[in-house]
Amino acid sequence: MDGLLRDGEGAERVLIDPAHETPLTPFREASADQVSQAVASAASALPIWAATLPTERAEVLHRLADMIARNADDLARIEATNVGKPLSQARRDVGRASDYFRFYAGVCDKLNGETIPLGPDQTALTVPEPVGVTAHILPWNYPISTLARGVAPALAAGATVVAKPSELTPFTALEVARLATQAGLPDGAFNVVTGGGEIGAALAGHEGIAHVTFTGSTATGRKVMQAASSPVAGVTLELGGKSPVIVLEDADLDAAADGVVRGIFFNAGQVCAAGARLICARSVHDALLAKVAAKAHAMGFGDPLDDPHIGPLISSGQLARVEGFVARAKAQGLTCVLGGARVDRPGFFFPPTIFADVPTDAEIARDEVFGPVLVTHLCDDAEDALRIANDSPYGLVAGVYTRGHDTALWLARKLEAGQVFINGFLTGGDTVPFGGVKHSGIGREKGLAGLSAYLAPKSIILNHARPT
Ligand code: NDP
């Protein structure tokens, strides 16, 4: 806050290393008063940062991107230890964070307005102004990359920031804020407050906030939206999902198996866009399932710093949540063909788990588990697959595997999702707009689309009557 690392004035917290179940260094979280101080700090930096020349803003963000890249090893080790993710995946997340700052640095001096023709006596023009102080409420599954995904476009737009990382994963956000100060960001332009849901609620409903960017569960997203109605702030909500992967009869089954395994078991399934529902043509279901199960079975566990295929879940609470879903599915008589019980070693490890040929109305087929649990459904043809895929309250992403280009495009247009992958899954990178429909959210992040939340275009109408 104000460019300085301040001691928290809230409760003491001891986080647990999820791979070893041992305590990490204790720290004090922020208090509700400190949320107000952070918003005031961001408000006082706003006129300074908004008036900074676009090329200078770009230089600062480029420097920050460089500094994140230079500190990648340290940041990745912090992230891997705190979240439990394999080191190479943590490195990739840190690289993505650096890339976000570099991408948005490049647009600082390209935020053009427009002119609107109104006839000979008037001209209207728009000036894209920064929206104001922005709040960023973040999840624990991708702490550093979701931080950068929102903070970089906000800063590029000339807005200022108060970020609240998840209470489980505060460390890399604090590090990035420290680096931002060293990179030359004005004091107060980028603040981080640590703490749990109460701190998030205080931030989302704060009168000084103009926009809230939230990533997390749909239930909390609703609360954030409600809280943000008090300051009449805008919201970007990146919420949960239960994303379908459709595999048709003519698909390349090896490619599909790769995509399915990566889509649901990467980051131990703790991914909002995880491909949690495999909807497969009846005729190839068993052959594909055998390939998926073989690949999943071969995934090794281990210390995140030793870079295993799969790390632990984030917490004992998340492990209990996943175990609960799996136990209820088994009690319902559903067929578990792989995994299904926690791994017998210290740490919150849960193995890749697959339930085959699950009724589409089963709890495990409808609710977001947020763990390494795949369900499969059988379909007759593309139309049947579409019906099953769209029968969900969620609409984040979807995948389609088929060699038929017409069918692929037909499905892509009909699928209720913010992003559709054809013959691949979770591809495309961070310059492509991302966000959901239905209960998966509002608004778009990433790419140029990710800027609009942080810009308030002002229209100016010039009346220029003809000289007499
Ligand atoms: P939440 O949605 O509860 O948390 C996301 C963020 O919101 C955290 O920073 C959290 O703080 C904060 N928060 C909690 N309550 C409030 C509130 N009333 N007002 C404002 N902010 C608040 O997710 P969880 O971390 O509890 O995870 C639960 C489930 O959410 C997961 O199992 C998964 O299904 C889903 N999830 C989805 C994610 C996605 O990427 N779409 C990411 C993470 C979770 P804190 O955590 O510090 O309490």
Side-chain angles (χ1 to χ4, degrees), residues 142-205:
Y142 285 94
I144 194 169
S145 63
T146 52
L147 172 86
R149 182 170 85 185
V151 169
L155 291 174
T160 56
V161 165
V162 181
K164 189 206 86 67
S166 161
E167 61 190 344
L168 297 177
T169 54
F171 301 121
T172 45
L174 291 165
E175 281 301 302
V176 174
R178 188 177 63 79
L179 293 175
T181 302
Q182 288 177 15
L185 202 68
D187 292 348
F190 178 6
N191 308 276
V192 174
V193 287
T194 56
E198 332 75 60
I199 296 297
L203 181 58

Side-chain angles (χ1 to χ4, degrees), residues 93-381:
D93 293 356
V94 174
R96 290 172 69 194
S98 171
D99 290 348
Y100 278 123
F101 282 103
R102 202 174 301 291
F103 176 83
Y104 289 109
V107 298
C108 291
D109 59 356
K110 298 166 192 76
L111 298 172
N112 302 335
E114 55 181 348
T115 56
I116 294 120
L118 292 176
D121 300 335
Q122 282 184 315
T123 304
L125 54 97
T126 61
V127 183
E129 296 187 344
V131 71
V133 176
T134 62
H136 302 255
I137 301 176
L138 306 166
W140 42 257
N141 56 342
Y142 285 94
I144 194 169
S145 63
T146 52
L147 172 86
R149 182 170 85 185
V151 169
L155 291 174
T160 56
V161 165
V162 181
K164 189 206 86 67
S166 161
E167 61 190 344
L168 297 177
T169 54
F171 301 121
T172 45
L174 291 165
E175 281 301 302
V176 174
R178 188 177 63 79
L179 293 175
T181 302
Q182 288 177 15
L185 202 68
D187 292 348
F190 178 6
N191 308 276
V192 174
V193 287
T194 56
E198 332 75 60
I199 296 297
L203 181 58
H206 199 286
E207 282 304 318
I209 294 293
H211 188 90
V212 187
T213 294
F214 169 83
T215 305
S217 63
T218 301
T220 308
R222 287 197 181 95
K223 290 186 197 159
V224 165
M225 201 171 181
Q226 228 157 15
S229 72
S230 173
V232 196
V235 289
T236 302
L237 302 178
E238 206 273 273
L239 308 177
K242 191 78 183 176
S243 295
V245 182
I246 295 174
V247 180
L248 297 179
E249 196 171 33
D250 64 347
D252 174 340
L253 293 191
D254 289 316
D258 279 345
V260 169
V261 168
R262 210 167 61 82
I264 186 61
F265 301 129
F266 195 70
N267 212 40
Q270 302 167 118
V271 181
C272 52
R277 293 185 292 147
L278 168 61
I279 302 169
C280 186
R282 200 172 292 281
S283 55
V284 294
H285 174 268
D286 291 356
L288 178 62
L289 185 58
K291 287 178 191 287
V292 169
K295 281 176 191 289
H297 184 66
M299 293 176 90
F301 300 92
D303 187 319
L305 296 180
D306 293 336
D307 204 26
H309 294 117
I310 189 162
L313 302 179
I314 182 75
S315 63
S316 57
Q318 193 63 20
L319 176 62
R321 179 186 155 93
V322 173
E323 286 182 311
F325 272 107
V326 169
R328 289 191 295 279
K330 284 181 178 170
Q332 217 187 319
L334 301 182
T335 310
C336 184
V337 295
L338 187 74
R342 74 175 288 183
V343 178
D344 184 21
R345 56 174 292 157
F348 309 128
F349 291 90
F350 200 86
T353 293
I354 305 176
F355 284 89
D357 193 8
V358 171
T360 53
D361 60 354
E363 180 200 47
I364 204 155
R366 297 200 71 78
D367 290 1
E368 185 179 41
V369 175
F370 225 64
V373 180
L374 176 72
V375 299
T376 77
H377 303 301
L378 276 58
C379 68
D380 296 323
D381 53 23

